[in-house]
Structure formats: structure tokens, C-alpha cells
Amino acid sequence: MEAIRAAHGAGGLSEEVAHVGRRPLGYTAFWAFIGYDLVQFTCMFVFYTIAHTQNAALFDAGRAHLAVWHGGVYTILLLTASWCVANAVTRARSTEGSAGRGWLAAGVALATAFVVAKAVEYGAFFQAGIFPNTDLYWQYYFLMTGIHLLHVAAGAGVLAYFLLRWETVRHPRRLLGFETATIYWHMVDVMWIVIFPVLFLMA
Amino acid sequence: MKGIAKSTVVWAVLVALTVLVTWGVELTGASAWVVAMVALAVAAVKACLVGIEYLELGRAPLPVLVVGIAWIAAVVLSVGVLYTVL
């Protein structure tokens, strides 16, 4: 699978990590969980679209409360976090491992910024008298963005765990665990990439 | 360094596409259907880029890459077709 399983001492890898052959990122078994999660979100997208087309006026009235540019900013936050995390993985595999800490810290900070921004947005909705039980549109909105937000918070927490233990991340076992955490993070990013047009842009 | 540079190019493309659909598409005065289809198509491209570059599907075994791309296609096509037909 990989050539890296050799060449590491107590403190971490001693030479450049080199992939030999093709293998999925992280623990292969974790991809089954990713598939399960993606199926759930696929169902939500499909059910939302059906409900949207059957209640167009209601959904457009709800969507009018959203600021499209907020959605754009959320998207850029998550995309940039994914870029940082991907760079952290690249650095963790290389002899420049210590540089990965900065990339991962930036990724965690951006993920945290997303959580804070969504919390502020939810607070503004609540102050405006908009709640999950307001109508069908808001049920879907809070369900889809709420579940996604929980995924972001969990992903940020796991990435923060590896950030605090960065010196050990470069050990092959830890590295595989870290890679697995990044699978989860990128999946969360992909989910939002679809949520953004579905909730914010489709009138 | 080469890998990092590539990931940075991908990030720039992702952000540019996001800016395009967030601030650009509606300014064209296109119909809601056109805006929706463009937004979905851009989402598919962005999801593929994240999958291939950041999730490293491009370096994964071929079946994993095929399933990943097929899922993105299935989701976007499902939403697009339902939005159009219903």
C-alpha cells in the first residue's frame, strides 16, 4: 500500500512519505460510513426539492429571508478550511511536518468561524420570530443546515484534537487517523457545496 | 511543493466559481431555471474538484473514484430533474 510504513522513529517519519499504488485516503472502512452519511443527505436534497416544487410560493417566501451573500461567505470559509486541511495532510506526510500545524490551525479556525457565523444567523432568525416550526420551508432549512452544522462542529473538534497532538500525527498510525479525520471534513465541505445552491440559489 | 501549488490552484478555482454563482449569475437577469441549473452545474464541478484533489479520489482505486463522481452526478441530476419536471 504505502512505502511509508517503514522509515519512522519514535518522533515521527524520518523521510519523505511516498505513496506506492492507489489507495483511498485514511482508513478504508471509514468510507462506508461516509457513504451512509452521503445517502442521508441525498435523501434530504431530493425530499427538499420535491417539497419546494410543491410549495413554491411558501419556499420562495422563506428563501427571501436569506442573504445569498451569506451563503457565499459560508462556502468560501469551508472551501478555504478544506484547502488548509489538505495542505496539513501534505505537510504531515513530508519532512516539512511542523509546517502542517499552521495549516491545520488555520483550518480549525475557519471551521470555528463557520460555526460562529451560523450561530449568529440562527440567533437573528430566532429574534425575527423564525423557528424550525414556523412552516415547512423553515423545517427543511433548520434540519438541513442544523445537521450540517453538527457535522462541521464534530469535524472541527476532531481536527482540533489532532492539532493539539500534532507532534504525534506523523507516526503512521496517527497519520492514518488524521487522514481519516480529513475525509470526514472534506465530506462536510462537499455536502455544503450542494446545500448552498439548493437552499440559497434555487428559486 | 508541487502538490501544494496544485491544491492552491484548485482552491482559487473553487473560490472563483463560488463568487461567480453568488454574486454573478443573478446579475445577468437570467431566469430562475437558468440560475438554478448553472448553480447546480457549478456545484457539481466544485464537488468533483474537492473530491479529486482534497479527498484524493484521483489517487484512490478506480472504483472509489467512479463511485464518488457517480454520487455527485446522481445528486445534482436528481435535484435538477425534479426541479425541472415537477
Side-chain angles (χ1 to χ4, degrees), chain A residues 41 65 70:
Chain A
F41 268 86
H65 288 84
H70 285 181

Side-chain angles (χ1 to χ4, degrees), chain A residues 22-25 31 38 42 45-46 49-50 53 68-69 72 75-76 79-80 82-83 86-87 90-91 93 96 183 186 189-190 193-194 196-197 201-203, chain B residues 1 4 7-8 11 14-15 18-19 21-23 26 32 35-36 39-40 43 46-47 50 54-62 71 75 78-79 82-83 86:
Chain A
R22 298 169 71 92
R23 71 167 185 98
L25 190 65
W31 286 86
L38 290 177
T42 304
F45 295 140
V46 167
T49 306
I50 293 170
T53 55
V68 174
W69 73 270
T75 308
I76 290 171
L79 290 173
T80 307
S82 268
W83 172 56
N87 279 333
T90 304
R91 297 300 177 102
R93 289 171 179 157
E96 306 171 82
I183 298 174
H186 296 311
D189 191 14
V190 169
I193 285 173
V194 182
F196 174 48
L201 298 172
M202 293 176 66
Chain B
M1 294 303 288
I4 292 173
S7 73
T8 303
W11 170 77
L14 289 167
V15 171
T18 302
V19 170
V21 296
T22 304
W23 289 278
E26 289 193 343
V35 170
L40 284 175
K46 286 162 61 180
V50 170
Y54 296 161
L55 264 171
E56 299 187 1
L57 292 182
R59 283 179 255 173
L62 197 58
W71 175 80
V75 168
S78 301
V79 172
L82 287 170
Y83 178 81
L86 293 179

Side-chain angles (χ1 to χ4, degrees), chain A residues 55-119:
Chain A
N55 304 275
L58 177 72
F59 275 53
D60 284 346
R63 199 182 75 93
H65 288 84
L66 303 180
V68 174
W69 73 270
H70 285 181
V73 170
Y74 300 149
T75 308
I76 290 171
L77 280 175
L78 290 182
L79 290 173
T80 307
S82 268
W83 172 56
C84 293
V85 169
N87 279 333
V89 171
T90 304
R91 297 300 177 102
R93 289 171 179 157
S94 77
T95 51
E96 306 171 82
S98 58
R101 187 199 300 268
W103 283 108
L104 185 57
V108 172
L110 290 164
T112 305
F114 178 91
V115 173
V116 171
K118 290 300 292 182

